[in-house]
Amino acid sequence: MANALRLGIIGLGRGFMLTLPALKADSRVALAGAFDLRREARERFADEFGAPAFDTLDALLYSPVIDAVYIATPHELHAEQAIAALRAGKHVLVEKPMATTLADCARIERAAADAGKVLVVGPSHGFDAPVQAAAQLVASGRFGAVRMVTALNFTDFMFRPRRPEELDSARGGGVVYSQAAHQIDVVRRLVGQPVSSVRAVAANWDSSRPSEGAYTALVTFEAGAAASLTYSGYAHYDSDELVGWIAELGYDKDPDRYGEARKRLATLSSQDEIEAKLKRTYGVPAVAADTPAPHHEHFGFIIVSCDRADLKLSPKGLSIYGDTERDFQPIEPPALPRKEVIDEFVGGCLGIRRPIHDGRWGLDTMACCVALLESSRRNTDVAPNQLLDTLSEKP
Ligand SMILES: NC(=O)c1ccc[n+]([C@@H]2O[C@H](COP(=O)([O-])OP(=O)(O)OC[C@H]3O[C@@H](n4cnc5c(N)ncnc54)[C@H](O)[C@@H]3O)[C@@H](O)[C@H]2O)c1
């Protein structure tokens, strides 16, 4: 397409690979350049897309052939790279978590406002089609007011191959930054009200994976709704059982492959683990192109309770449990995974519609993540807005 958004990629890793099918298929987007520290990834990108693989970040940011960037580098690099890109006049799609501190998230948001450029934080599971459909149904008021959300997810997150910083809480490691960022996005989208407080316990109970591996939280909203969020990444129970044995990325899962993540990790040295993580990234020959997932992505078991119905989300649609009747509203299977985030970002860049998951949205989600950790540390309720107020009081 002649007027396609010319997108530069910063970070050709696992996150990029999950978004790549939607990027490749969208004629409104042209993959116009990339930067990564890994030479093999840069070379493969240049070969596959016939586009420049830049030697430095600045070369990409100041290239006239790039209109916008997608930042999919490790969490702790997001702030500096996003701010540099916005100052260079590029629109920015930045992976979740937006950054590793609230102050950095606020700096990114301010840089977007100063530059007058579009900023979207995602993909997250808040973009998933069943979440959007349920959010619209809740907002329509058809079943009365939203009262409660129950969200739980039990995965093997902590036992997948990890980079060392992914297990270092001080650098944004553990499940709160990586996984609560999804779950909070989902419940905020469903409830559609500002969060008033968070009460939580975040746990770090396995010294072999020394970062927060689980949490449970009560999130209250300004108009009175409440959500309970539970997450465990300790690779014991697998809550995909509760969504018909469909995995997070929308593929069917074999329940008999119990314990695989732990068994595999037990055979790896620290160096092998880093290499195993690398094998899941772009530019590494071992990674074959995935076949498209038959179902929508999801983030575990989620029920929204309204005055007159409970809505259960699934990767295939919404089950509606009303006063006297039960109904199932199927949702068309996905044309492509993560298409929704590209729609929102491109729509914002082309001025078609304002993104929902903009800088302010990302900042508020991060304030909830930080509130979750703070609540656990201080054993008290924490208001995310107070954390943001404290931030704005600092010089
Ligand atoms: N939305 C999702 O579902 C999802 C899934 C996976 C990852 N992610 C996010 O993507 C980000 C990256 O995680 P990942 O799992 O893809 O990690 P990864 O290690 O697979 O990929 C990171 C990539 O960044 C490159 N890189 C490192 N330092 C760099 C630098 N200074 N400049 C340019 N490139 C650099 C690495 O070489 C690698 O290719 C994280 O923030 C993570 O939360 C999101």
Side-chain angles (χ1 to χ4, degrees):
M1 184 173 161
N3 293 326
L5 183 76
R6 296 171 303 174
L7 189 68
I9 311 295
I10 305 173
L12 298 165
R14 178 74 187 152
F16 164 66
M17 287 192 62
L18 297 178
T19 314
L20 182 58
L23 291 171
K24 270 206 292 205
D26 197 320
S27 63
R28 298 166 304 170
V29 175
L31 288 161
F35 171 62
D36 192 289
L37 298 183
R38 289 180 301 118
R39 189 167 51 82
E40 68 274 22
R42 294 199 303 272
E43 285 173 355
R44 175 158 165 213
F45 184 92
D47 272 2
E48 186 172 352
F49 300 108
F54 295 95
D55 288 335
T56 65
L57 177 63
D58 275 358
L60 181 146
L61 294 183
Y62 289 95
S63 164
V65 305
I66 304 288
D67 305 313
V69 297
Y70 166 39
I71 299 174
T73 48
H75 310 345
E76 58 190 339
L77 300 175
H78 293 179
E80 293 320 317
Q81 292 178 337
I83 291 167
L86 290 160
R87 288 187 180 152
K90 310 299 182 195
H91 302 296
V92 170
L93 170 64
V94 61
E95 268 290 353
K96 53 88 315 228
M98 187 174 178
T100 52
T101 67
L102 262 188
D104 277 349
C105 294
R107 288 199 303 128
I108 302 175
E109 194 211 5
R110 225 169 17 246
D114 290 348
K117 292 290 160 187
V118 169
L119 170 64
V120 168
V121 183
S124 82
H125 287 291
F127 288 84
D128 293 349
V131 174
Q132 306 273 11
Q136 278 164 17
L137 208 48
V138 169
S140 75
R142 182 170 146 202
F143 299 110
V146 56
R147 302 293 180 178
M148 193 167 85
V149 178
T150 306
L152 63 88
N153 205 2
F154 285 69
T155 75
D156 58 9
F157 181 89
M158 295 297 278
F159 285 82
R160 297 175 201 154
R162 295 280 161 216
R163 284 180 269 106
E165 59 268 37
E166 291 180 284
L167 298 173
D168 178 354
S169 305
R171 299 167 75 188
V175 299
V176 176
Y177 291 101
S178 278
Q179 300 290 277
H182 283 296
Q183 211 174 29
I184 288 167
D185 263 12
V186 169
V187 297
R188 288 187 57 217
R189 187 76 184 90
L190 291 170
V191 173
Q193 300 166 14
V195 170
S196 50
S197 78
V198 178
R199 178 70 186 227
V201 174
N204 177 352
W205 71 62
D206 183 333
S207 57
S208 74
R209 312 297 277 172
S211 186
E212 287 76 18
Y215 60 80
T216 188
L218 177 70
V219 176
T220 58
F221 293 83
E222 280 180 9
S228 66
L229 279 62
T230 295
Y231 187 95
S232 168
Y234 281 127
H236 289 131
Y237 179 60
D238 182 348
S239 56
D240 288 342
E241 177 179 49
L242 302 176
V243 286
W245 288 112
I246 294 172
E248 177 180 345
L249 297 180
Y251 294 93
D252 292 307
K253 191 176 218 177
D254 178 358
D256 291 335
R257 291 171 68 173
Y258 180 80
E260 257 185 359
R262 278 177 178 267
K263 283 180 208 154
R264 180 153 176 263
L265 197 67
T267 66
L268 301 179
S269 68
S270 317
Q271 189 51 38
D272 291 342
E273 183 175 349
I274 294 171
E275 274 155 29
K277 166 97 193 182
L278 262 179
K279 286 208 175 100
R280 287 155 52 92
T281 63
Y282 185 77
V284 176
V287 177
D290 285 332
T291 48
H295 313 293
H296 288 283
E297 297 193 4
H298 71 85
F299 204 69
F301 178 82
I302 299 164
I303 289 195
V304 189
S305 301
C306 299
D307 288 334
R308 294 186 295 281
D310 285 338
L311 318 179
K312 181 162 71 98
L313 282 64
S314 91
K316 296 180 182 178
L318 304 179
S319 299
I320 301 170
Y321 303 83
D323 289 343
T324 54
E325 288 187 12
R326 190 178 58 182
D327 184 23
F328 179 71
Q329 284 188 6
I331 298 176
E332 281 275 295
L336 287 164
R338 308 195 166 201
K339 181 180 176 302
E340 299 83 0
V341 72
I342 309 306
D343 281 343
E344 191 169 314
F345 184 56
V346 173
C349 295
L350 300 181
I352 296 166
R353 67 187 164 112
R354 271 180 80 97
I356 295 172
H357 303 86
D358 60 7
R360 180 65 212 201
W361 176 280
L363 179 62
D364 285 339
T365 288
M366 180 54 73
C368 292
C369 292
V370 175
L372 192 161
L373 287 169
E374 279 289 305
S375 169
S376 180
R377 274 185 208 121
R378 299 188 346 226
N379 194 19
T380 185
D381 290 13
V382 175
N385 277 341
Q386 269 177 12
L387 298 177
L388 293 173
D389 290 346
T390 319
L391 204 63
S392 55
E393 281 156 18
K394 285 187 184 149

